[in-house]
Amino acid sequence: MLIEHSSPQLMAINFETPFQQVLQQQRPLLRSFNKEKKWQLWLSDRPMLKRSWVNIAGLDKQKVVHLANLTNNNFVSTIEKALQSKTCSYVVACINDLNEQDKQRIEQAVLISDTCLFLVHDKLNFVQYH
């Protein structure tokens, strides 16, 4: 995390990856999932989760799984399967392009799951589904 500009009124922060932003902004929620005996799944098209961030966030590193190098062809299916399996406390997925059909598939999977889903975009915006 880099602080680009700092003054008493304003602090602009540039996160290295969208995952770092999620860890920073959702820390209390993510920590609450440590109590569950489920996986904490992070999905991306490239490596973007650092173990040091997981440690700083206070997450159980034995439960955190990061699957990187997913292609667009299997990304949505992987999210669906993770949600349908109900073996994850939450899923964080960095996916940039979702068409309407993919959005509907994911929303359906969320509805039948008891898993929290964070969809993150490289522009560092994210949407949280419960």
Side-chain angles (χ1 to χ4, degrees), residues 8 16-17 20 30 46 50 63 66-67 69 71 105 109 128:
E16 289 180 44
T17 74
Q20 188 182 24
L30 297 178
R46 64 192 182 281
K50 293 184 179 179
K63 295 179 184 178
H66 179 207
L67 298 179
N69 303 318
T71 64
R105 287 173 57 194
Q128 178 180 346

Side-chain angles (χ1 to χ4, degrees), residues 1-95:
M1 175 172 46
L2 302 171
I3 299 174
E4 292 182 339
H5 176 77
S6 183
S7 71
Q9 295 82 23
L10 174 68
M11 184 183 300
I13 299 174
N14 179 28
F15 295 97
E16 289 180 44
T17 74
F19 282 178
Q20 188 182 24
Q21 180 184 10
V22 172
L23 282 167
Q24 182 69 26
Q25 293 179 343
Q26 300 298 318
R27 185 182 316 195
L29 177 61
L30 297 178
R31 269 196 203 151
S32 71
F33 290 119
N34 277 336
K35 299 171 190 161
E36 296 184 25
K37 295 181 179 181
K38 294 183 177 183
W39 298 106
Q40 300 170 13
L41 184 59
W42 298 73
L43 304 171
S44 62
D45 61 355
R46 64 192 182 281
M48 61 169 61
L49 183 64
K50 293 184 179 179
R51 184 144 318 265
S52 61
W53 300 343
V54 171
N55 291 336
I56 290 169
L59 302 181
D60 183 348
K61 62 185 175 196
Q62 302 297 327
K63 295 179 184 178
V64 173
V65 176
H66 179 207
L67 298 179
N69 303 318
L70 293 172
T71 64
N72 282 345
N73 297 339
N74 64 5
F75 213 118
V76 173
S77 295
T78 303
I79 294 170
E80 276 182 311
K81 288 174 186 172
L83 293 171
Q84 292 167 350
S85 72
K86 299 183 181 182
T87 59
C88 299
S89 302
Y90 62 85
V91 176
V92 180
C94 184
I95 186 166

